[in-house]
Amino acid sequence: MARHCFVLLLLFLPLNLAAAPTRPANDATVLVVLPSATLPAPERRALSEAVTLWRAAPRDPGATDRLARVYLQLARTSADPRWVGYALATLQPWNGQDTIPPALRLVRAIARQAGHQFGEARRDLDRLLAQHPDYAEARLQRASLALVQGEPQLARADCLALLELATLLPGLVCQAEADAASGQASAALARLTALTRMPAAGLTPELHAWLLRTRADVAMRLGQWRLAEGDLRQLLQTDAATAATRAAWADWLLATRQWRDVVAFAARWPHDDGLLLRRALAEQQLAPGTATASIRALADRFASARLRGERLHLREEARFVLDFQNDPQSALTLALANWQIQREVEDARLVLRCALAARQPAAARPVLDWMQRTSFEDRELQQLARRAGVRS
Amino acid sequence: MKRRFQCERLGHWLIGCLLLAAVQAHAHLAGTSWLTLHADAPATLQFDLPLRDLDVAIGLDRDADAAITWGELRAARPALEAYVLARLSISADGRPCRVQPHDLLFNARNDGAYASLQAGVSCSATRTQQFVVTSRVLQDADSLHKTVVTLKTVTGAPSGVLAGDRPVVQLERHAVTPWHEILTFVQEGVWHIWQGYDHLLFVFTLLLPAVLVRCEGRWVPISDVRSCVRRVAWTITAFTVAHSLTLALATTGLLQLPGRLVEAAIAASVVVVALNNVWPLLTRDRSALPFVFGLVHGCGLASTLSDLELPRTSLLLALGGFNMGVELGQMALVLLVLPLLLYLRHWRLYPVATLRLGSLLIAVAGALWCAERLFNLQLLPAAA
């Protein structure tokens, strides 16, 4: 049923995307409410102040740094890549030149990574660390980049360097994360648990949130749902503004098959597009065929993205095609293309699921090789790999 | 240098870095603008620009209330046009075109709120084969911004995407074979005739009595189906030949009649054949009536093609294809209706109910259309 709806929707899509312009009758008609209106007052103030400062001096590194970081913060909370584009735009005067100040180069690397320009981000970080080997933030950023690209050994090297530089905690969490991705997940979980028992005085809120997220992530990969739940609930109380936190919670609800809660949770955050796919998945489980509104919204997004030649949404699109369009072959193509760009656990799972659904387990070989190389641990992933015929 | 970069920011940004890396939920669409270039006839373009990015680029929100009103957009129109013209260039077959904005509208697309810039594009080349579009619009506000450019022609809509690292796109008219071009116009013809209720009704009214014969002052169902079909074929052929003639004459400009009168005459033709079904006064020559009115209908059909302002070379192909499309559409109607009427002809009430009553109703409808068109009224609910 959903498939037929989708095919019908496809017929209407070209009509949907091209619309007829109008002339409003009234000057007072509101055409659009800007995103800053939905921000809490402190953030809105911070944004407008940063913008004003920057407009007065667009080439001042300090003003640029401040505004770019405000934009990147907004990108984190809203999962809206527009903010990343704005951040990169403020850095444009320094593009193609080597005179960019280190702080700005770091911000540029962060922004590029957020925009999935991983190659450029790595180049910036390599250059930065070559010139300033003690730049702790840059180390951490490069470690996280390595993890996104599925290279935990590289990440571990940067985490170890971080241990020597910074306060203990960030280095330890970084190291635990790298270990968890390279065959020592249980030990890493134990270490993270020990860290959570440290007196709270030593932890800034951001640090605490990072710790909880990491522990929840590792716990879920080891199948320890209760542990993950505790961390995620705590996170929701303190850090619900971050899109990644919300996504993690929705994923936990999906993993524990609490479909209604997924829908209810997604309904509380109507502007969070990242929850849309998860909501549609839950709706489909509750009653196949009821997810039409969500499916249509997602189909529109992906059609627009395809028109743009976008690669940002490959993971979501692959999942969408696999779970809603019942087209495992196309989903496999998308999942493999996504694998070339990013290699986190969800990306690996997708390739295996698509390969199995398309009855082409051989197509999942790159992922299986990667699993062997890194000894990556994840219960679902290992189950899928066994089904694909290879013990990992 | 050792501990220099360790500052209070470290804690604040450490998390930022890692969590940001985990932001994969990019389900929101990145900023996109949509440029549609209509290449046929006087070239025009429509450039849809997202309002929130325009606000970042040129500042739309005058009263800083985080909402853009129509009045604010209108006030920003000169700045907007200057901004766009400074960053957009179009050339046709290697020669630069001039973009002349003439209107600014609002477009609520399903992926956001857009300002819709309407402009004329005047290029020195005629019948351009290749357009080159360069645009840096909004890339200074959003590095990830992309512009989707579509070239709309009668025979297709090639498109390309402009981005920061690829600010130039080249669009070619589809290398179209004459066959493909003819096919396009055939489709136009079919579509047009199926939208022309008055034409269809005329043909339908001609068909109604075709399954009967006049015998001793009464209508009697025809016995020889083959001769019936032959008669219908002659009738339709006469109609076809006539409207092909005037279609050709009118499209090529050799025959020019005021549109309003033509439309009214077409409606009147429906009335006449309908009334003729009830009081058969003009049945002498079955072909005369369809032929005469076919001439009128042909003028009505010509308006579609003349709107396209095609150059001479394409015109013949267009004419041929369009006409063929019209014939096919008509034939479809006949093939649908005639068997049905043949089936119904033995029904006792056919002469009274379907033929007489039906024709009277059609005559009334035709008369109303005629009045509407002559006097510019709106009498019937569905505008005909």
Side-chain angles (χ1 to χ4, degrees):
Chain A
M1 175 65 187
R3 196 214 281 193
H4 295 156
C5 286
F6 185 74
V7 170
L8 280 173
L9 283 171
L10 272 185
L11 289 174
F12 283 108
L13 261 177
L15 295 173
N16 270 340
L17 292 177
T22 58
R23 190 189 314 274
N26 196 341
D27 268 359
T29 311
V30 172
L31 305 178
V32 72
V33 172
L34 296 175
S36 53
T38 59
L39 296 173
E43 280 177 273
R44 197 182 330 160
R45 217 173 16 247
L47 176 62
S48 69
E49 276 169 16
V51 168
T52 313
L53 267 176
W54 179 76
R55 284 233 166 102
R59 294 198 177 230
D60 173 41
T64 308
D65 182 75
R66 180 170 165 177
L67 181 57
R69 289 183 167 207
V70 168
Y71 280 149
L72 289 174
Q73 171 72 10
L74 287 167
R76 268 183 44 211
T77 55
S78 66
D80 186 346
R82 275 285 219 313
W83 299 113
V84 178
Y86 295 163
L88 285 170
T90 62
L91 297 163
Q92 270 173 8
W94 285 276
N95 280 355
Q97 301 168 30
D98 216 25
T99 55
I100 183 170
L104 284 184
R105 197 191 280 274
L106 174 61
V107 171
R108 190 169 74 182
I110 298 173
R112 283 176 168 174
Q113 183 172 332
H116 286 215
Q117 298 171 3
F118 296 133
E120 288 90 334
R122 178 174 285 279
R123 271 199 291 282
D124 264 337
L125 289 168
D126 286 347
R127 186 107 175 87
L128 189 53
L129 285 167
Q131 290 172 337
H132 307 279
D134 296 336
Y135 203 156
E137 287 181 57
R139 286 269 170 214
L140 187 57
Q141 190 63 32
R142 198 165 70 171
S144 83
L145 178 57
L147 286 172
V148 165
Q149 294 192 297
E151 306 284 349
Q153 290 89 342
L154 287 179
R156 192 190 276 124
D158 277 325
C159 295
L160 284 174
L162 198 55
L163 273 173
E164 291 174 17
L165 286 173
T167 53
L168 216 49
L169 217 51
L172 285 175
V173 181
C174 175
Q175 193 182 35
E177 212 175 340
D179 285 344
S182 50
Q184 299 168 52
S186 309
L189 185 60
R191 285 212 301 276
L192 288 167
T193 307
L195 285 173
T196 56
R197 297 210 186 101
M198 282 179 60
L203 296 169
T204 63
E206 294 86 7
L207 208 51
H208 191 61
W210 177 30
L211 179 55
L212 288 176
R213 272 281 310 290
T214 310
R215 196 168 83 126
D217 182 51
V218 179
M220 278 179 70
R221 282 179 15 218
L222 291 174
Q224 298 190 26
W225 309 120
R226 288 282 150 243
L227 198 59
E229 181 184 4
D231 287 338
L232 286 170
R233 280 197 192 278
Q234 232 184 321
L235 257 180
L236 272 180
Q237 279 174 350
T238 54
D239 196 34
T242 305
T245 301
R246 299 197 288 269
W249 178 241
D251 282 337
W252 183 86
L253 288 171
L254 280 174
T256 51
R257 307 176 73 82
Q258 298 178 57
W259 318 121
R260 267 181 228 291
D261 291 339
V262 177
V263 177
F265 184 65
R268 279 170 49 195
W269 306 92
H271 298 296
D272 188 337
D273 266 19
L275 294 177
L276 198 54
L277 180 60
R278 294 164 172 92
R279 178 187 179 141
L281 289 165
E283 283 169 340
Q284 201 194 31
Q285 292 293 334
L286 278 173
T290 53
T292 38
S294 308
I295 291 178
R296 183 191 314 203
L298 284 165
D300 282 345
R301 299 262 189 291
F302 295 133
S304 297
R306 206 172 308 122
L307 275 176
R308 270 175 60 100
E310 195 99 282
R311 307 262 84 184
L312 273 180
H313 301 79
L314 279 176
R315 179 197 287 178
E316 286 80 18
E317 199 178 346
R319 184 129 194 222
F320 179 74
V321 171
L322 179 66
D323 288 328
F324 292 105
Q325 280 182 259
N326 288 326
D327 185 359
Q329 192 56 54
S330 310
L332 180 59
T333 314
L334 289 167
L336 285 170
N338 180 49
W339 184 250
Q340 295 308 314
I341 302 172
Q342 53 189 5
R343 298 183 176 185
E344 296 190 291
V345 64
E346 182 56 36
D347 306 304
R349 286 185 199 144
L350 258 176
V351 172
L352 278 171
R353 283 182 58 211
C354 291
L356 287 168
R359 301 191 212 284
Q360 295 177 41
R365 178 121 306 270
V367 175
L368 297 170
D369 288 343
W370 171 80
M371 282 173 72
Q372 260 193 322
R373 195 160 40 87
T374 60
S375 311
F376 192 85
E377 287 158 275
D378 176 68
R379 270 202 353 183
E380 186 184 339
L381 199 56
Q382 279 153 334
Q383 274 171 7
L384 289 167
R386 274 195 292 277
R387 279 172 55 196
V390 175
R391 285 209 171 267
S392 172
Chain B
M1 199 80 127
K2 265 241 154 56
R3 307 256 166 202
R4 207 166 103 187
F5 292 107
Q6 284 190 65
C7 45
E8 3 1 297
R9 281 210 307 213
L10 183 63
H12 181 66
W13 275 100
L14 281 177
I15 319 308
C17 301
L18 262 186
L19 288 182
L20 192 56
V23 172
Q24 298 296 356
H26 287 310
H28 278 287
L29 196 60
T32 312
S33 51
W34 308 86
L35 175 58
T36 309
L37 189 56
H38 295 269
D40 289 324
T44 61
L45 70 77
Q46 174 173 320
F47 203 169
D48 287 353
L49 303 155
L51 283 172
R52 61 176 280 198
D53 301 318
L54 269 179
D55 179 57
V56 172
I58 62 175
L60 298 174
D61 189 17
R62 283 183 163 195
D63 55 5
D65 63 349
I68 311 288
T69 61
W70 175 236
E72 282 172 327
L73 181 59
R74 280 198 317 125
R77 182 172 158 183
L80 200 162
E81 291 178 358
Y83 176 82
V84 170
L85 290 175
R87 288 162 181 78
L88 173 70
S89 66
I90 303 180
S91 69
D93 286 340
R95 280 177 282 179
C97 303
R98 236 173 13 153
V99 177
Q100 292 150 315
H102 62 77
D103 207 355
L104 183 62
L105 300 170
F106 169 65
N107 198 349
R109 304 177 69 110
N110 71 349
D111 56 347
Y114 289 74
S116 185
L117 187 66
Q118 312 284 322
V121 182
S122 53
C123 308
S124 37
T126 53
R127 196 91 171 96
T128 310
Q129 202 52 42
Q130 185 199 78
F131 284 94
V132 176
V133 179
T134 311
S135 169
R136 295 190 178 281
V137 171
L138 289 180
Q139 282 165 16
D140 50 343
D142 174 1
S143 286
L144 299 177
H145 188 87
K146 292 191 180 173
T147 302
V148 178
V149 185
T150 310
L151 177 69
K152 281 228 161 104
T153 67
V154 156
T155 49
S159 64
V161 179
L162 289 167
D165 49 350
R166 275 184 329 264
V168 183
V169 83
Q170 199 169 294
L171 295 169
E172 316 252 344
R173 235 182 242 279
H174 274 320
V176 168
T177 61
W179 176 236
H180 184 230
E181 219 171 318
I182 294 180
L183 261 171
T184 313
F185 284 107
V186 169
Q187 274 176 313
E188 276 287 324
V190 174
W191 190 77
H192 189 84
I193 193 84
W194 272 93
Q195 288 226 309
Y197 301 128
D198 43 6
H199 300 296
L200 293 178
L201 204 56
F202 183 83
V203 175
F204 181 74
T205 318
L206 281 180
L207 289 177
L208 277 178
V211 295
L212 304 171
V213 270
R214 201 92 182 121
C215 188
E216 295 157 12
R218 280 168 56 241
W219 287 109
V220 168
I222 196 168
S223 46
D224 184 2
V225 172
R226 238 191 310 171
S227 82
C228 168
V229 171
R230 223 178 305 136
R231 269 197 313 180
V232 167
W234 265 121
T235 310
I236 301 295
T237 307
F239 181 64
T240 299
V241 168
H243 78 60
S244 306
L245 213 71
T246 43
L247 176 63
L249 289 173
T251 310
T252 51
L254 294 169
L255 179 66
Q256 294 188 6
L257 294 173
R260 221 183 60 182
L261 288 181
V262 169
E263 296 295 318
I266 292 178
S269 71
V270 174
V271 178
V272 170
V273 284
L275 290 178
N276 187 49
N277 285 352
V278 182
W279 295 289
L281 301 167
L282 306 167
T283 48
R284 225 14 76 105
D285 184 348
R286 283 230 171 243
S287 317
L289 207 58
F291 186 85
V292 167
F293 286 126
L295 294 173
V296 178
H297 280 244
C299 297
L301 291 170
S303 58
T304 318
L305 281 185
S306 49
D307 280 345
L308 287 177
E309 289 185 28
L310 297 166
R312 291 279 135 162
T313 45
S314 281
L315 201 56
L316 292 166
L317 283 175
L319 251 182
F322 190 80
N323 210 12
M324 197 165 351
V326 170
E327 306 326 322
L328 286 173
Q330 258 170 211
M331 207 177 321
L333 178 72
V334 172
L335 288 174
L336 266 175
V337 169
L338 194 57
L340 186 66
L341 293 180
L342 282 170
Y343 180 73
L344 283 176
R345 74 188 192 276
H346 291 292
W347 179 35
R348 198 168 47 85
L349 285 175
Y350 185 93
V352 173
T354 317
L355 186 60
R356 289 223 184 94
L357 197 56
S359 300
L360 278 174
L361 286 173
I362 292 173
V364 169
L368 285 174
W369 275 340
C370 195
E372 272 186 359
R373 292 169 186 187
L374 270 181
F375 308 117
N376 240 347
L377 303 169
Q378 187 85 22
L379 299 166
L380 290 172

